[in-house]
Amino acid sequence: MATTEEVKKLATLARIKLADAELEKFTGEFDTILGYVGQLEKLNLPQNVGGEKPPLRNIMRKDGDSHAHAAHTEKLAEQFSAREGNALRVKQIIQHD
Amino acid sequence: MTRLNEMTIVEAARALRARECTVRELWDACIKAIEEKNPELHAYLEIFPADDAAIAAAQKRIDNDGEKAPLLCGIPLAIKDNILIEGNIVSAASKMLENYRATYDATVISKLKEQGALFLGRTNMDEFAMGSSTEHSAFGKTLNPHDISRVPGGSSGGSATAVAAHLAIAALGSDTGGSIRQPAALTGLVGLKPTYGAVSRSGLIAMGSSLDQIGPLAKSVSDAEILYDAIRGKDTLDATSIPEGLYEERKVPQQFRIGVPWHLLREGVDADVLAAFEAMLKRLTNAGHSLVDIELPTSSHALAAYYVIMPAEVSTNLARLDGIRYGHFSNGKTLLDDYINSRTEGFGEETRRRILLGTFVLSSGYIDAYYRKADAARAVLRREYRDAFEKADIIAFPTTPSPAFKFGEKSDPLSMYLEDIFTVTANLTGMPAISVPMGTVVRDGKKLPVGIHFTAPHQAESVLFACGNAVEKAF
């Protein structure tokens, strides 16, 4: 059983704020959804699962020719929430108090 | 004569070459249909202004090259709102990206531009592709043209309605758990989810990165194949894209051995949908194809595994959206408040629900019980399918257990999730799958389309197309 405290903790971790009413609703729904996916716990799987080598694995590619310097700067900077020249302005991270 | 916007890609390409119409006339016919019907159906979130240079270039290419011009040259397409087209807004139907302008073309868009295809607009969807009805769009729902009191399916519901109502010749969608095939089935279209890695995901707004694929929604199997051929291929911008011939080659048989997992269909499927499925199988066997009974025991747990793996990937992918570099920004007192306020305001309810679920299944103490178990089930599923393909060329079941449902009918999340029960497996195994219309069933006096779903081994799309053609011929 999920509790409102647990769901609240998850929301904090996920950087989302939930209103009280929503917290209640989500907690109830979580029970139903986790009840359903919980069937996996009872699923007996063969011991030798996994260990197979997939035909394509993530590998690092060699550096190739890059784009021209600053080719995308303007387009990217246009999307910034707060801009100073070509820099992204953010709030102070370290607090002194 | 069929109205221009009602043509298939094959018909339109022929008409353009025969000079029965111009590229401009074809474009205008689609725009006129959009102006008439989109205010009600809400398939498109935005209609793009005519790109005069692209229209002229396509016409010139057809005039000069004739039969040698690509089939998609001059064909107006609808694009799901999670695929980037440089300079255009691409919002994933979320307030979070309401004003986000794409800074580059998705690889599929570059490929379509090279072919001379045209883009009519961006289509509505469930927010960040999470949903099976388009009811989760931040910008209103899309209606099913077969019955406007019903959903078109989702998440690519806008693309489905655009093509089904002839507001586009064909469309692109994306499929993470059925988001192309389910709306295709519910609107009477052909929808293809390619092999994982067959089509580049560069420029697709990520939902579940081990599951997502871009694919076509089209009026015929041939059209789906044309679009698929145009967009596929290994791409240096997507390390998970695959080269030709990575998997064992499968020959296209003259007569298909169609594997049917009857044990999965004994309950939960509407009687008339099952009857339509059996009738289609009968037609196929009459045409000389054979049926094989197959067992996919872990399939009954596929949806549970999917609803662990997918939210885990969603919560990871959507963590990048914090309002700082792009997307919705809401000012707070501290940097942490900026993140929290931006995300709380920017994400809709279903998106938040799945982020929280994903955060839960990945949290220490639960990761073994949920995520690792689901991942193991995924490996077993893949093996069961591979074994089944020893005795069958293709595996068939209905695309959905029921036809299109009414708006608001699936208000609890789990009942909506169950809509994907048959389609998610192909995403978990990475195998290609297609939905092809198999007839209609009647609800409230209206005929509603339903689809037959085929899965083939990795990289055996040609087998899917051949089987899809056999279904079209069997009607």
Side-chain angles (χ1 to χ4, degrees), chain A residues 6-7 10-11 13-18 22 25-26 29-30 32-34 36-37 39-41 43 45-46 48-49 52 55-56 58 61 75-76 79-81 88 90-91 93, chain B residues 86 100-101 103 240 242 247 300-301 303-304 323-326 329 331-336 338 340-341 343-344 349 352-353 355-357 360 370 373 376-377 379-380 383 386:
Chain A
E6 281 171 345
V7 177
L10 293 173
L13 288 169
R15 307 283 188 254
I16 288 170
K17 211 177 340 188
L18 294 179
E22 208 171 27
K25 183 171 176 245
F26 272 25
E29 289 166 353
F30 256 53
T32 317
I33 297 166
L34 294 178
Y36 180 79
V37 301
Q39 62 174 273
L40 286 174
E41 284 182 76
L43 176 65
L45 295 172
N48 56 344
V49 176
E52 264 178 58
L56 184 80
N58 281 347
R61 68 169 169 80
K75 277 190 281 188
L76 295 173
Q79 314 265 353
F80 290 170
S81 56
L88 166 66
V90 292
K91 290 200 171 71
I93 293 166
Chain B
E86 188 178 350
Y100 174 69
R101 219 167 261 286
T103 54
T240 61
I242 56 176
Y247 295 91
S300 48
H301 302 285
L303 191 71
I324 304 296
R325 286 159 301 143
Y326 57 91
F329 174 70
N331 204 10
K333 262 168 72 181
T334 64
L335 187 64
L336 182 62
D338 286 357
I340 293 172
N341 294 352
R343 288 168 65 80
T344 302
E349 184 180 312
R352 278 180 282 160
R353 186 181 289 115
I355 290 173
L356 295 185
L357 264 178
F360 173 78
Y370 290 100
K373 192 73 187 273
V380 173
R383 191 182 301 171
R386 221 170 33 211

Side-chain angles (χ1 to χ4, degrees), chain B residues 187-225:
Chain B
T187 58
L189 299 176
V190 175
L192 171 77
K193 186 215 68 95
T195 303
Y196 181 75
V199 176
S200 170
R201 291 182 296 114
S202 174
L204 170 69
I205 296 176
M207 176 184 160
S209 298
S210 77
L211 307 156
D212 297 341
Q213 271 290 282
I214 297 172
L217 289 111
K219 296 174 191 172
S220 72
V221 173
S222 305
D223 279 12
E225 186 170 3

Side-chain angles (χ1 to χ4, degrees), chain B residues 24-39:
Chain B
R24 173 68 68 175
E25 285 163 354
L26 183 60
W27 171 273
D28 286 347
C30 291
I31 294 293
K32 186 160 170 279
I34 292 169
E35 283 168 352
E36 279 169 15
K37 291 188 183 159
N38 196 57

